[in-house]
Each structure stands twice: as C-alpha cells, then as structure tokens.
Amino acid sequence: QKLLVNGDDVIERRMELVRVVSHNTHKRMVSCLQGHIGADAEKRHKKLPLTSLSQAMVEGGNQLGEDSLIGKMMEVCGDAENRLASELMQHELQIEKDVLDPLSQLAEVDIPNILKQRKQLAKLVLDYDSARARWLQATKSIISGTNTQALTAKADLLKEEMDEAMNKVELCKDQLAADMYSFFSKEGDYARYFVTLLEAQADYHRKSLTVLENVLPTIQAQQDSWTEKPAFGTGLDEHLKRSGREIALPLEACVMMLLETGMKEEGLFRIAAGASKLKKLKAALDCSTSQLEEFYSDPHAVAGALKSYLRELPEPLMSYQLYDDWIQASSVTDPDKRLQALWVVCDKLPKNNKTNLRYLVKFLSKLAQDSEVNKMTPSNIAIVLGPNLLWAKTEGTLAEMAAATSVHVVAIVEPIIQHADWFFPEGRFCGCPLSCVILKFHPPL
C-alpha cells in the first residue's frame, strides 16, 4: 500500500510492459490468420486462400475430364484442400475465441483500466494534499485572527473537505490494490492463453494430417492404376505390368519400324542420330502415340531410341544378378562348352527379361543376315549394342562401366546373335503393322 500511496512506479512499469507485449503478440497473431477476423464461419471459409485453391483445382479437374490423370488428381486434391480449409476455418475461430479475444481484453481493457486507476489515485492524493494545506492554513488563521468564530467555521468546512478527500484516496487505493492483486493472482490464467494456442495448433495439425492421410491412399491408387506412364527409365517388370504387354513398347515399336525401313541401312546402331529427332521419338514412345510415321525415314533415330531404352533401364536386360555368371560362361575356352555355358545362364534369366531378350536377339540375328549391305555383323552389333545389354552393378558412370566390361560383353552377345535359333528355337517374326504394337497386340516371334 505504501508503494501505491507514494506513487512508486515499479508495479506500473511491470503492468505497462505486460500490456505492450500482449498487444504486440495479439497483433502478430492476427497477421498469421488467413481468414478475416470477426467474420462468421461461412464468410471466413469463402475468403480463405485454400478455398480459392480448392475451387480452382476442382474447376480445372472438371475441364480436363476423367480421361486425364491430371484432371482426376486435381479433383481429389481440390476436395482435400476444401476439407483442409474447413479445418483451418474452425481452428481460426477457436483461436479468435479462446486466445485472441482474451488477449485483447487484457491488453486493451483490463490493464489500461488499472493504469487509469493508478493515475486517478495520484490525482486524488494531490487533491488531498491541497485540502490538507488549506485546512492547516485555516487553523493557523484562527490562532492569529480576531474573528475566531468565522475562522473556526471555515476551518471545520475545510476539515470536512480534507476528510472527504482522504476517504476518496483510501477508497481508490483499496480498489487499485484489489485490482492489482487480482491481476497478479491471475497471471497463471493469462499465461494459459499461450498453452491454449499451442494445444489448438496441435489439434488443428492432427486433424489436417488425418485429412491428408485419408486421401493419400486414394490418390496414390489412381496414380498407380494409370497405365500411361513413361517407359524410358522405368523398370521392365513395372512397365510390362502397367501396360499389360509382353514386349516393352519401345523395343517392339522400334523393331517393327526398323524391320520395315532400316534393315539395309549401313551402320545401324553405330551411326548417331540427330539429338532433336531422337528426343522427339523417345517422347512419342513414352506417351504411347501411334503417330510415328515421320520416324520411318530416319532409321538411325529409331535405332538410337532402342539403344537409349536399353541403356536407361534401371537394371540391364541381361540382369545384374547373372552378371558374374555371364562373365564366367564367356571365359570358358572350349567353344562348344562356352556356348553351352552361355545357354545355361540365358535359361536362368527372369521370364520377362528372357522374353524381351529373345525378341531383340531374333531381330539382331535378322539384321546380321544383311551385313554385306548394312555392315552390321554379329561382332559389330555386339560391340555397339552389347554394353547396353549388360553392365556391372558398380559405382561410376555408364561409360566407365561399359568400358570395364565391353570385352566380356562382346564375347557374350556375339555368339548369342550368331546362334539365335539355337538359343531361342521357338518363335518367328510377324509382318503386322506398327499400329498393332501401339494397340498392345503382341505378335509371336
């Protein structure tokens, strides 16, 4: 009480500091809200950026239609974003009610009212001091004055004013003390606002995570079920499963085009194709288009695309797992036993690898039959194509890996091409058009 009466400003500075930091925190917290403060739930939801994003996604999905994977994804994501917007709207309403409003009440009403009482007390103390000074002056006048009765009456009036002023001081002082004691006793309640903030944020993020976890399996299933995915760079088994094919599309399409226009081309697989034409052909094959007529006139681009497909497989067509077996078989000195050893390893290939290797080797064998014209003997084919069929699973660039194993690979691939009908006695080529390949028709070899 002495601190209050004497105007000590320690408590006042403390309360003013609490007011300032509460005000600043409230201001920053409001700036974090995405909705308009004070708006009702419906208006707040409409104005959220997430709601606008949701609407744009749904509209975009409807425009693209069900035939587009992007359209399907946008519809599902748009619905998810709308649910996230609803969670955000509810979260911000709770924050406004349980944190922002009480914090504003503290900073803008409660503490200012107490500080006003502090100033009012200081004014009442001055009023009391003034009344007391007038009363003391009046009592001195009675002693020295002649009209004692009148002076005494005046002094009594001043005494009443002084007593009334003191009473006001005491009342204000008691009220201020009570309010200050109440404020400091409630500091734990005020501090609880920030605990409430974190609890509300945790609850909001948990609910938002639940929304995402519920939608992710759906959207992932749509992604996985979409068959129109790039073939280049995709594992053989995955590509065949997604496309429902037996022979990889780039392999079969390129072989069909080369059978029609490339078998007499000199240096096929050896002469590099134009980069832009090769890039365009790879992109066309990746999207499974049947509009490939322009590439018939450029067999080197077709051969380059076939080489690129084989080179970009995550695992070589002739398998990492059998790499050591291939190398060991190629090292057998006796020619007949070497062929037998290579056949044994070939027979160990996984089904899809063996089917596609058989298809390719049958074609390469047919290509080698015209070697007097195209200059592509089994040896030359093995040199330029072999490193794209088998390489070691070691660190380093593809060029480094190919260089390290090229000699062995040529010794493996060349006899397989030379003796294609012995390694793969079943099957023949079909003269069906390329459109059959694109439509997932698989002619027997």
Side-chain angles (χ1 to χ4, degrees):
Q1 291 180 348
K2 183 178 180 181
L3 288 175
L4 295 172
V5 172
N6 293 339
D8 194 297
D9 61 354
V10 174
I11 296 178
E12 183 178 354
R13 289 200 304 269
R14 170 81 179 278
M15 295 189 71
E16 174 63 17
L17 183 59
V18 172
R19 186 195 70 79
V20 170
V21 298
S22 298
H23 172 80
N24 291 339
T25 302
H26 179 276
K27 182 179 179 181
R28 298 302 179 190
M29 205 178 297
V30 169
S31 69
C32 291
L33 299 181
Q34 296 186 36
H36 294 288
I37 190 168
D40 61 32
E42 183 178 356
K43 289 183 179 179
R44 187 187 292 264
H45 186 273
K46 287 182 179 179
K47 296 295 184 179
L48 286 175
L50 277 177
T51 302
S52 299
L53 174 62
S54 168
Q55 293 170 347
M57 284 184 166
V58 172
E59 290 173 3
N62 290 334
Q63 291 172 358
L64 291 171
E66 287 292 317
D67 293 336
S68 167
L69 178 61
I70 296 176
K72 289 183 177 181
M73 292 298 188
M74 290 185 73
E75 285 190 34
V76 176
C77 285
D79 180 65
E81 294 298 336
N82 186 56
R83 280 180 276 170
L84 289 175
S86 296
E87 294 295 343
L88 180 59
M89 178 267 295
Q90 294 294 339
H91 167 66
E92 291 192 351
L93 286 174
Q94 181 186 356
I95 290 295
E96 186 175 340
K97 173 178 175 291
D98 296 340
V99 181
L100 286 174
D101 288 350
L103 206 57
S104 177
Q105 176 74 21
L106 175 65
E108 311 303 332
V109 179
D110 294 347
I111 294 179
N113 284 344
I114 295 175
L115 294 178
K116 286 179 182 178
Q117 288 189 55
R118 173 69 181 78
K119 293 179 181 179
Q120 179 65 19
L121 176 60
K123 180 179 179 299
L124 291 174
V125 168
L126 290 176
D127 291 344
Y128 167 75
D129 289 343
S130 177
R132 186 172 181 275
R134 291 195 302 272
W135 174 74
L136 288 174
Q137 183 63 37
T139 56
K140 291 179 182 179
S141 298
I142 293 174
I143 298 173
S144 60
T146 55
N147 191 353
T148 305
Q149 185 176 359
L151 292 172
T152 301
K154 182 179 179 181
D156 289 342
L157 287 174
L158 292 173
K159 178 68 165 58
E160 289 179 4
E161 289 181 10
M162 182 186 70
D163 290 343
E164 184 178 354
M166 173 54 76
N167 186 50
K168 289 181 179 179
V169 168
E170 291 296 331
L171 288 175
C172 184
K173 182 182 66 176
D174 290 343
Q175 183 62 46
L176 178 60
D179 289 345
M180 283 191 168
Y181 293 150
S182 176
F183 171 80
F184 287 113
S185 69
K186 292 180 179 178
E187 185 162 347
D189 294 336
Y190 301 142
R192 178 70 191 174
Y193 299 156
F194 302 99
V195 178
T196 301
L197 171 64
L198 294 182
E199 289 176 342
Q201 288 176 326
D203 184 59
Y204 160 67
H205 287 296
R206 277 193 294 267
K207 289 179 178 178
S208 297
L209 180 60
T210 299
V211 170
L212 295 173
E213 288 178 336
N214 288 338
V215 75
L216 278 173
T218 300
I219 200 168
Q220 189 61 54
Q222 288 192 355
Q223 176 77 33
D224 292 342
S225 65
W226 192 257
T227 59
E228 294 182 15
K229 289 194 174 183
F232 286 81
T234 300
L236 178 63
D237 290 339
E238 181 181 353
H239 167 64
L240 297 179
K241 181 180 178 181
R242 291 187 189 283
S243 60
R245 305 180 61 85
E246 295 177 4
I247 305 299
L249 175 59
L251 172 58
E252 192 168 4
C254 288
V255 165
M256 286 298 181
M257 285 189 283
L258 291 174
L259 281 171
E260 291 192 33
T261 62
M263 302 304 284
K264 306 293 184 180
E265 190 72 23
E266 184 175 338
L268 197 66
F269 293 109
R270 180 175 57 81
I271 298 176
S276 59
K277 182 63 71 71
L278 176 59
K279 182 177 180 180
K280 184 178 180 181
L281 175 55
K282 289 172 64 176
L285 291 171
D286 261 343
C287 68
S288 302
T289 180
S290 60
Q291 305 301 315
L292 299 174
E293 290 80 4
E294 66 174 289
F295 301 106
Y296 279 79
S297 61
D298 193 346
H300 293 295
V302 178
L306 177 52
K307 285 177 65 177
S308 291
Y309 172 71
L310 296 171
R311 182 168 60 247
E312 293 174 23
L313 285 172
E315 181 174 346
L317 187 60
M318 296 177 73
S319 178
Y320 280 139
Q321 186 178 359
L322 297 176
Y323 178 81
D324 290 338
D325 292 354
W326 284 117
I327 299 302
Q328 184 177 355
S330 67
S331 301
V332 175
T333 55
D334 183 79
D336 292 336
K337 292 182 179 179
R338 182 166 60 250
L339 280 177
Q340 185 64 38
L342 290 172
W343 184 91
V344 170
V345 179
C346 187
D347 196 50
K348 293 180 182 178
L349 281 169
K351 179 181 177 181
N352 288 333
N353 295 64
K354 186 176 182 180
T355 300
N356 281 263
L357 179 64
R358 175 178 65 87
Y359 188 91
L360 176 62
V361 168
K362 287 282 191 161
F363 162 72
L364 296 176
S365 174
K366 187 174 182 64
L367 177 67
Q369 292 175 12
D370 293 317
S371 60
E372 290 186 3
V373 177
N374 59 40
K375 310 302 181 184
M376 297 306 294
T377 63
S379 175
N380 290 338
I381 295 173
I383 290 172
V384 297
L385 203 59
N388 300 292
L389 294 173
L390 180 65
W391 60 85
K393 190 177 183 180
T394 57
E395 297 296 329
T397 66
L398 184 60
E400 293 171 344
M401 291 186 288
T405 59
S406 60
V407 175
H408 292 292
V409 170
V410 171
I412 296 168
V413 175
E414 181 182 357
I416 293 178
I417 297 174
Q418 288 174 330
H419 304 280
D421 291 337
W422 182 76
F423 276 91
F424 305 107
E426 71 282 6
R428 60 181 178 82
F429 275 109
C430 171
C432 63
L434 180 61
S435 59
C436 295
V437 179
I438 302 300
L439 294 174
K440 298 179 183 178
F441 173 83
H442 307 291
L445 294 181

